[in-house]
Amino acid sequence: LVRFVVGNTVQSGLIVSWLSYAAGCVYLYRLAALDYGEAVAAKTIWYLSIFPYAFFFGSVMTEGLFFLTTAAGLWHIRRHQWYAAGLWGILAALTRMHGLLLIGAAAAELCMEQRLFTPDARSLWTRIKGVAVKLPALLLPLLGAAGYLMLNEVVDGNPFAFTIHQQHWSQGFLWISRTLGY
């Protein structure tokens, strides 16, 4: 969509990556500040930005977009905004299959919120119902993963084509490391 406005594919990809990284930094800052304060949150963004592999966030790749969707999903999970977290989880899983890991983070936070494993005045059944009511929102990233698999099917004729592409990348990196003597 950005390409229709800008007119250049590479420039559009860079704009999307940069804006996604910037928005992801805002979410990560807010997430870190919740538990550790603003000083630690600022250092978190600084260290992330100077990390040697941070250059991927500024390239025409999905790293910035995945960072944004994951950081936003975690922020909403932490704030117990389950449907917002689920929607960000859909986008994260559409970007990468690893977006499904947000389900685990959301489940852990929900169990803590409902005090599922901590005895309190409520019955265990009441606590389980509290989890079950919110379960559909937690499982929304499965829709993103299904969309990603369908996209692979349409583009490559194989829903798991991404695993083949990853093997090619791994073989290329092995060849480079052997060539350079590592």
Side-chain angles (χ1 to χ4, degrees), residues 80-105:
H80 303 162
Q81 298 167 340
W82 304 113
Y83 281 98
L87 292 174
W88 282 107
I90 289 172
L91 296 173
L94 270 171
T95 307
R96 297 238 171 96
M97 291 298 284
H98 296 88
L100 289 174
L101 294 174
L102 287 174
I103 294 172

Side-chain angles (χ1 to χ4, degrees), residues 44-125:
T44 300
I45 301 306
W46 172 250
Y47 292 142
L48 176 67
S49 298
I50 64 170
F51 188 71
Y53 292 111
F55 70 90
F56 285 113
F57 291 127
S59 61
V60 184
M61 299 177 81
T62 59
E63 272 67 17
L65 188 57
F66 183 69
F67 172 58
L68 166 62
T69 57
T70 304
L74 290 170
W75 163 254
H76 289 289
I77 287 168
R78 187 68 175 77
R79 307 256 307 159
H80 303 162
Q81 298 167 340
W82 304 113
Y83 281 98
L87 292 174
W88 282 107
I90 289 172
L91 296 173
L94 270 171
T95 307
R96 297 238 171 96
M97 291 298 284
H98 296 88
L100 289 174
L101 294 174
L102 287 174
I103 294 172
E109 185 70 27
L110 180 59
C111 287
M112 287 175 38
E113 178 201 36
Q114 292 296 315
R115 297 178 180 214
L116 191 60
F117 303 109
T118 307
D120 64 8
R122 299 175 302 152
S123 70
L124 179 62
W125 180 245

Side-chain angles (χ1 to χ4, degrees), residues 22-56:
C25 284
V26 170
Y27 272 110
L28 181 61
Y29 178 91
R30 294 170 72 190
L31 185 62
L34 267 180
D35 291 323
Y36 304 108
E38 291 186 6
V40 171
K43 287 180 185 176
T44 300
I45 301 306
W46 172 250
Y47 292 142
L48 176 67
S49 298
I50 64 170
F51 188 71
Y53 292 111
F55 70 90
F56 285 113

